[in-house]
Amino acid sequence: MLAHIDAFARGIIRDAGAVLLRGFRAPDLVVEYKSRTDLVTNIDRESERLIFDALRREFPGHVIIAEEGSRAEEGDDYVWYVDPLDGTNNFAHGIACFCVSIGVYSRREGRMAAGFVYDPFHDELFHALHGSGSFLNGAPIRISTTDAVDISIVATGFPYNKKETANNNSREFCSVMPEVQGVRRFGSAALDLCSVACGRIDGYWERQLKPWDCAAGAIIAEEAGGRVTRYDGSNFDPEYPEVLATNGRIHERMMTLLRV
Ligand code: IPD
Ligand code: CA
Ligand code: CA
């Protein structure tokens, strides 16, 4: 089954990436506001429809949970978490940092089974299957070897409802920022996790995520040798909206800095 999932997901995610590329910086892009800060475009919806319809046909017995509302709820083992466009704010502003993210969770095993993240602008396809390592365009990738926080580049993100809640990452940001070489806010949780996986950055933390944001990237970071947990070091769970992903070497120190 995993080989089938792998071959299918790598094909469909490239097709969805082509939809994103066609809509990127296009004059007829339609932007709607789910809230003042949370955008959705016609391209998010088109990409989701393509993936959802294809998944339904190929795996009728699997659960599908997609960000823009598509659901297939009857199924036993596999759950597909689909983010048809991660980095929508970047996309809507013409900033070339966005991707399609597809994570596959096995209920039977109680863990992620596979993850696929495709950045069509840079033509980078990240993928991982449980126990088999992580790959970028078919070549194996590994986490960085940076072993101290003060020479680390880390990334984070802030929730859309940041004005309404004090739990908006400002305390954690102020705690980490002076201690590291640099903090980045790229605007795509899935690509942040893949950047940890391939060693471009040394760590990433964010709260209030949804499973479609982080499920795929989490297994890709882990299979590349990274450590992926909640802030307190307990097991990552895609349904629990908190992730700290690092190269492992800076994990304990990051956990301490996030305890604010
Ligand atoms: C968002 C991005 C962003 C993260 C937000 C997510 P979207 O997803 O991953 O980096 O900070 O929490 O909601 O809305 O672009 O799919
Ligand atoms: Ca997302
Ligand atoms: Ca999205």
Side-chain angles (χ1 to χ4, degrees):
M1 177 56 84
L2 260 192
H4 184 190
I5 287 175
D6 183 34
F8 175 80
R10 285 206 256 165
I12 196 68
I13 205 166
R14 281 190 176 277
D15 294 345
V19 170
L20 267 48
L21 260 196
R22 275 202 303 277
F24 187 52
R25 297 176 181 160
D28 57 351
L29 181 73
V30 182
V31 180
E32 287 169 32
Y33 289 83
K34 296 198 247 185
S35 70
R36 280 299 285 171
T37 45
D38 195 357
L39 309 180
V40 65
T41 74
N42 56 320
I43 298 298
D44 297 61
R45 297 210 167 97
E46 202 181 310
S47 169
E48 179 158 314
R49 204 170 317 118
L50 175 89
I51 299 168
F52 185 78
D53 290 350
L55 268 178
R56 285 288 273 176
R57 277 194 303 272
E58 193 79 12
F59 300 104
H62 291 191
V63 174
I64 309 166
I65 299 175
E67 174 168 18
E68 304 312 331
S70 309
R71 294 284 181 275
E73 274 155 345
E74 296 302 311
D76 47 6
D77 190 3
Y78 292 106
V79 182
W80 294 71
Y81 293 114
V82 177
D83 193 335
L85 200 181
D86 188 50
T88 294
N89 269 280
N90 286 339
F91 187 86
H93 286 84
I95 299 168
C97 180
F98 57 87
C99 63
V100 184
S101 172
I102 302 180
V104 187
Y105 182 81
S106 166
R107 285 179 170 165
R108 206 166 290 153
E109 311 276 348
R111 55 163 170 70
M112 292 303 302
F116 308 86
V117 172
Y118 182 50
D119 166 352
F121 190 87
H122 299 98
D123 189 25
E124 291 193 326
L125 174 54
F126 296 87
H127 88 278
L129 303 183
H130 177 76
S132 307
S134 290
F135 300 85
L136 166 52
N137 292 343
I141 49 173
R142 288 297 291 174
I143 36 89
S144 69
T145 53
T146 312
D147 60 5
V149 152
D150 59 352
I151 53 167
S152 290
I153 298 277
V154 296
T156 190
F158 302 89
Y160 285 124
N161 64 350
K162 56 198 172 305
K163 200 169 178 182
E164 288 82 50
T165 173
N167 183 15
N168 63 6
N169 200 22
S170 48
R171 279 197 310 273
E172 290 88 343
F173 179 78
C174 289
S175 169
V176 174
M177 185 267 289
E179 303 297 326
V180 294
Q181 190 166 64
V183 184
R184 300 289 180 268
R185 199 294 189 238
F186 294 114
S188 160
L191 287 177
D192 289 333
L193 286 158
C194 291
S195 296
V196 173
C198 67
R200 290 177 191 160
I201 61 175
D202 308 297
Y204 160 71
W205 83 93
E206 189 165 351
R207 218 172 226 163
Q208 296 199 45
L209 291 168
K210 296 287 196 275
W212 47 75
D213 297 315
C214 57
I219 181 171
I220 293 168
E222 212 160 62
E223 286 292 328
R227 189 165 166 207
V228 183
T229 66
R230 300 179 192 174
Y231 290 4
D232 66 1
S234 60
N235 286 345
F236 168 77
D237 174 349
E239 295 282 352
Y240 188 90
E242 184 177 287
V243 60
L244 169 62
T246 73
N247 64 5
R249 299 176 188 223
I250 64 164
H251 209 84
E252 297 292 327
R253 179 79 181 119
M254 285 296 292
M255 278 169 55
T256 306
L257 291 171
L258 292 175
R259 216 172 290 136
V260 285

